[in-house]
Each structure stands twice: as structure tokens, then as C-alpha cells.
Amino acid sequence: MPELSAENSTSMKIHARTERLILREWDASDLDAFAEIISDPEVMTHIGNGEVRPRSSAEEFIQRVLEHQSTRGWTRFAVEHVESGDLMGFSGLDDKIGRIDFGWRLAKRFWGVGYGYEASAVALWVAQNTFSLTHITSQSYPENVGSVRIIEKLGMVRIGETEEFSKVVHIYGFESEWPDGLTQ
Ligand SMILES: CC(C)(COP(=O)(O)OP(=O)(O)OC[C@H]1O[C@@H](n2cnc3c(N)ncnc32)[C@H](O)[C@@H]1OP(=O)(O)O)[C@@H](O)C(=O)NCCC(=O)NCCS
């Protein structure tokens, strides 16, 4: 678990920070950076049907996360790079699939130096400690080895399986919360 500190989210709009990154609320000005992230074919390879998303998807996403943070606080939190101040992507929670799904997506230039795990560990801490969320799940295509590794490092185990776009999706959760696996 990276060392982190929590901050007052209403005045600072910051949920937590480490030496290298900040987990914060979204701002409408994040749109351009997020649109660029989801227009990158490498970033999108293991997401949904694997296709890049247009700017309109980024607009919908920003609208949704802004609404979530003003109504219930938690969402897919924005991750900001301390050194540059750039938006790195997101790490956080959504419930549009009927359970709390924990996911992450960073711009390619930030891959490979531990940011993915660090951002996810911090977001999990915030989810559990700031927002008292339980029964958090995460899911991945098995071939998305980086993502599966992050899930395992967070301590989640396989609790179920589903299918998307004719491909197997593995579902993970914490064993203590899902002793019988995913039953829904
Ligand atoms: C998944 C993602 C967040 C990983 O980010 P990252 O910053 O490169 O990850 P980290 O550097 O923290 O690596 C975490 C672990 O995964 C491993 N890993 C990461 N990418 C990997 C890859 N492509 N192949 C094999 N292992 C990989 C790392 O070696 C590390 O394991 P270790 O601690 O045992 O050495 C990033 O690749 C991403 O944003 N991908 C696109 C979006 C996506 O697929 N999201 C998940 C949808 S389910």
C-alpha cells in the first residue's frame, strides 16, 4: 500500500495523494485530456469491443462523473500526475452494471512504472475508508495481464465469470465478502 494522505474533498476537491499522484474530483476542463486517452487504440485494446471512443464518449463520461461526484461523492476518480499536473486517467468505481465495479485507465505514457497499481491501491483505500463501500468487484478479460496483475495485487480473487462481446470476462472480489462467489 503506497503511503497516502486523505484531504478534505469539498474544499480541495482532492480525495488522497501520494508523492507521485493525486486522486481528485473531475473538472469539465479534463475533457480534452480524457478524450485523447480514449482515442488511443493501445489504451482501448482490452476495453469493451476494443475500439477507440469518439469525443462524444468522453463528453458523456465527464458528464456522468461530474454528476456522481456531486450526488454521492464516489465515481471513477480522476488521477493527476504530481510532477506535470497532467490528467493521467482514472481509477475508481462505477455501478452501471448493477454492482460496484472498480476499474482503471491511464494514458499510455504513464504505463510501466507502477502508477496503475499505485492509483488503484489509493482508490480502493478511498472507496473503503472515505465512502465505506463494500462488495467492490473488478473485472477483466483474462488476456489483459497488466490489469489482472493489479487485481491480484489488491488481494481480490476470482468470484465469477461472464461474457462480453463473445469473450470471457473474469470477475473478482474479496473472498471475505463473496464466500460463495458471485451469486447474483
Ligand atoms: C492496466 C494499466 C492501468 C496498468 O498500468 P501500469 O501503470 O502499467 O501498471 P503497473 O506498472 O502498476 O503494473 C502493475 C503490475 O502489472 C504488471 N503489468 C502491467 N502491465 C503489464 C503488461 N502489459 N504485461 C504484463 N504485466 C504487466 C506489472 O509488471 C506489475 O506487476 P508486478 O508488480 O508484479 O511487477 C494500464 O496498462 C492501462 O491503463 N491499460 C489500459 C486500460 C485498461 O486496460 N484498463 C483495464 C480494463 S479491465
Side-chain angles (χ1 to χ4, degrees), residues 102-122:
F102 183 22
W104 34 80
R105 193 178 304 170
L106 301 183
K108 175 138 196 301
R109 69 181 191 279
F110 295 112
W111 295 5
V113 290
Y115 286 127
Y117 172 67
E118 188 168 323
S120 64
V122 172

Side-chain angles (χ1 to χ4, degrees), residues 79-131:
V79 183
E80 184 180 302
H81 191 226
V82 167
E83 196 182 325
S84 63
D86 290 349
L87 179 79
M88 303 169 80
F90 69 68
S91 187
L93 305 311
D94 200 355
D95 59 355
K96 70 176 178 196
I97 58 173
R99 52 186 156 76
I100 300 180
D101 173 61
F102 183 22
W104 34 80
R105 193 178 304 170
L106 301 183
K108 175 138 196 301
R109 69 181 191 279
F110 295 112
W111 295 5
V113 290
Y115 286 127
Y117 172 67
E118 188 168 323
S120 64
V122 172
L124 181 62
W125 186 90
V126 168
Q128 293 176 325
N129 293 281
T130 306
F131 295 105

Side-chain angles (χ1 to χ4, degrees), residues 43 46-47 104-106 110-118 139-140 144-147 149-150 153:
V43 169
H46 300 296
I47 295 166
W104 34 80
R105 193 178 304 170
L106 301 183
F110 295 112
W111 295 5
V113 290
Y115 286 127
Y117 172 67
E118 188 168 323
Q139 63 180 48
S140 179
N144 193 355
V145 288
S147 203
R149 182 77 192 115
I150 288 176
K153 286 183 76 175

